[in-house]
Amino acid sequence: MSNTTKQGLEASLKRMMLKKPLDKITIRDITEDCGVGRMAFYYHFKDIYDLVEWSCVEDASRALQGKKTYDTWHEGLLQIFEAVLENKPFILNAYRCISRDQMENFLFKLTYDLIRGVVDEQSQGVEITEEDKTFIAEFYKYSFVGILLDWIKQGMSTDYRIIAEKISTTMHGNVSNSIQNFARGSRDFTDQGR
């Protein structure tokens, strides 16, 4: 029941955002459209922005199921673009009404797991710290989110498949190289300390 209510609130929010800007939508608008009380909303979300974030993360999680390996991450990347494009009115409305920091945070949550899955897979059997794996995943996360934000800012007019292909070409082999460089750097640093 709980997830059904959350999904109903999400659907109501998305319907409302087709009619008016996010900053003009009230919790009352959403709950009346959804047919639930205000307390049901507050049981699940602290405010509308919390619902927006949950919606974005849920959409991405569905898109990324099983796509967090080196062999499938390109497909996962495409599916993130597709999930954003499928929700274009929702995303553009949110982009115009919330701060860039909030939008970045939503997108960071969407992409970090995808990239971290690849880093974890590629670092199996390599001596590398969790801190270094996190750094590598965050480095690529920031790159991807910057490109995704530019695409959204430009109205999502460029073919996302071309962008995804360019990202894949740029990153091809680089995650593995980064892992090896960190592992080597760690050994070199240890050797210098002796």
Side-chain angles (χ1 to χ4, degrees):
M1 179 69 176
S2 176
N3 216 30
T4 304
T5 303
K6 289 167 94 170
Q7 290 168 345
L9 291 167
E10 174 188 17
S12 291
L13 173 66
K14 287 181 176 181
R15 275 193 300 276
M16 293 280 126
M17 287 178 73
L18 293 173
K19 300 173 190 169
K20 56 184 171 178
L22 177 64
D23 56 1
K24 301 289 186 218
I25 297 171
T26 65
I27 290 170
R28 184 178 185 171
D29 293 334
I30 296 168
T31 56
E32 284 180 0
D33 181 74
C34 186
V36 299
R38 288 173 60 85
M39 291 313 296
F41 180 93
Y42 286 114
Y43 177 77
H44 298 289
F45 304 105
K46 63 181 185 220
D47 58 24
I48 289 177
Y49 299 108
D50 192 28
L51 172 57
V52 170
E53 180 177 343
W54 182 84
S55 297
C56 290
V57 171
E58 276 298 295
D59 289 346
S61 297
R62 283 191 292 271
L64 289 178
Q65 283 184 326
K67 304 293 187 276
K68 297 178 185 174
T69 68
Y70 184 75
D71 292 335
T72 60
W73 82 269
H74 176 78
E75 193 177 329
L77 186 64
L78 283 171
Q79 288 178 325
I80 288 175
F81 274 106
E82 288 166 4
V84 169
L85 193 58
E86 272 176 29
N87 291 293
K88 184 176 181 175
F90 173 76
I91 296 291
L92 289 177
N93 191 337
Y95 182 80
R96 285 189 290 271
C97 295
I98 62 176
S99 72
R100 183 174 170 100
D101 286 349
Q102 284 177 303
M103 185 60 97
E104 281 178 351
N105 286 334
F106 300 159
L107 296 174
F108 288 154
K109 288 179 181 177
L110 302 184
T111 58
Y112 181 80
D113 285 347
L114 170 67
I115 297 168
R116 181 59 194 247
V118 173
V119 170
D120 287 342
E121 180 191 56
Q122 293 290 293
S123 63
Q124 287 180 354
V126 178
E127 271 191 53
I128 181 171
T129 66
E130 284 299 311
E131 183 181 327
D132 289 342
K133 287 195 274 187
T134 299
F135 181 85
I136 293 166
E138 288 189 354
F139 178 84
Y140 289 108
K141 169 191 82 173
Y142 282 106
S143 300
F144 177 65
V145 168
I147 290 168
L148 190 58
L149 277 172
D150 284 348
W151 180 66
I152 292 168
K153 183 180 178 183
Q154 295 162 5
M156 304 181 203
S157 55
T158 306
D159 185 341
Y160 68 89
R161 290 172 294 232
I162 294 169
I163 298 169
E165 190 58 43
K166 287 182 178 186
I167 292 170
S168 293
T169 300
T170 302
M171 288 183 64
H172 183 75
N174 285 337
V175 171
S176 183
N177 285 338
S178 295
I179 292 165
Q180 294 304 319
N181 289 340
F182 271 95
R184 241 188 324 277
S186 161
R187 285 191 302 271
D188 293 347
F189 183 75
T190 304
D191 292 342
Q192 288 174 0
R194 288 184 187 162

